[in-house]
């Protein structure tokens, strides 16, 4: 757990290549800007199960390479400044149970690929600027217990 006002910068890509690391938790670091590396070669042996980057100053896009973290069960990028679209590739996170993007600046439509998150219990996408309709594929999420899409710019038919 890294916590404090003086941390920041781009997370080193090597952090995501440590085979036995199972949790990265960075929280409440608002003093400096953060970013995720744009491209990371994630190995098949990576055991990262929890990536929690909560209430920091992360900015930029959510990189598609996160979907290569096949053991990931918790992905919490809430309360940051991520922008743009939710990558389609995120639907490939077959082990994820908790997915939280609350309170960012995400735009565009919710990708239908999220309907492939077969183990998901909580899908939290509220307080962004997501547009369009809620994909029908969300109805495929048989284990889903919590869905939060409030405070977006979603439409209905």
């Amino acid at each position: 757990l890294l916590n404090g006002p003086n941390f920041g910068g781009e997370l080193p890509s090597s952090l995501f290549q440590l085979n036995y690391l199972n949790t990265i938790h960075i929280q409440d670091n608002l003093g400096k800007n953060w970013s995720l590396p744009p491209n990371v070669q994630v190995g098949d042996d990576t055991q990262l199960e929890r990536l929690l980057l909560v209430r920091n100053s992360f900015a930029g896009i959510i990189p598609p390479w996160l979907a290569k973290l096949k053991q990931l069960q918790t992905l919490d990028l809430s309360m940051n400044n991520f922008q743009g679209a939710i990558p389609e590739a995120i639907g490939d996170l077959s082990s994820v149970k908790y997915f939280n993007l609350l309170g960012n600046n995400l735009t565009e439509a919710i990708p239908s690929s999220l309907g492939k998150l077969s183990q998901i219990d909580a899908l939290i996408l509220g307080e962004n600027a997501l547009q369009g309709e809620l994909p029908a594929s969300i109805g495929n999420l048989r284990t889903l217990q919590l869905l939060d899409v409030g405070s977006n710019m979603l439409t209905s038919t």
Side-chain angles (χ1 to χ4, degrees):
L1 172 63
L2 291 176
N3 188 338
N6 296 317
F7 291 109
E10 183 176 287
L11 291 183
S13 60
S14 59
L15 191 61
F16 298 93
Q17 297 168 332
L18 296 171
N19 289 344
Y20 300 106
L21 184 66
N22 71 9
T23 302
I24 297 173
H25 188 174
I26 302 172
Q27 185 168 338
D28 294 326
N29 294 285
L30 299 171
K32 296 185 179 180
N33 289 330
W34 290 83
S35 64
L36 287 170
N39 195 10
V40 174
Q41 298 298 325
V42 177
D44 292 335
D45 297 336
T46 304
Q47 298 298 309
L48 191 63
E49 295 178 357
R50 288 176 289 283
L51 178 58
L52 302 108
L53 307 176
V54 180
R55 232 177 357 264
N56 296 290
S57 296
F58 276 93
I61 65 164
I62 297 172
W65 61 260
L66 287 177
K68 296 178 183 173
L69 298 170
K70 297 299 181 189
Q71 303 300 318
L72 204 61
Q73 295 177 19
T74 299
L75 178 57
D76 190 342
L77 306 178
S78 61
M79 307 306 291
N80 284 290
N81 295 309
F82 286 109
Q83 302 166 342
I86 300 169
E88 280 283 337
I90 293 294
D92 295 335
L93 287 172
S94 58
S95 297
V96 77
K97 296 180 180 190
Y98 182 85
F99 183 44
N100 188 351
L101 296 178
L102 178 86
N104 281 284
N105 295 308
L106 299 169
T107 57
E108 300 186 31
I110 297 171
S112 61
S113 65
L114 295 187
K116 299 189 308 184
L117 299 175
S118 61
Q119 303 298 312
I120 193 103
D121 294 328
L123 179 59
I124 304 167
L125 306 175
E127 297 181 31
N128 282 285
L130 296 168
Q131 303 170 11
E133 296 180 2
L134 189 65
S137 63
I138 298 297
N140 299 333
L141 303 177
R142 301 293 180 220
T143 60
L144 189 64
Q145 298 176 29
L146 171 64
L147 174 64
D148 178 358
V149 292
S151 297
N152 278 293
M153 297 167 44
L154 299 177
T155 58
S156 63
T157 56

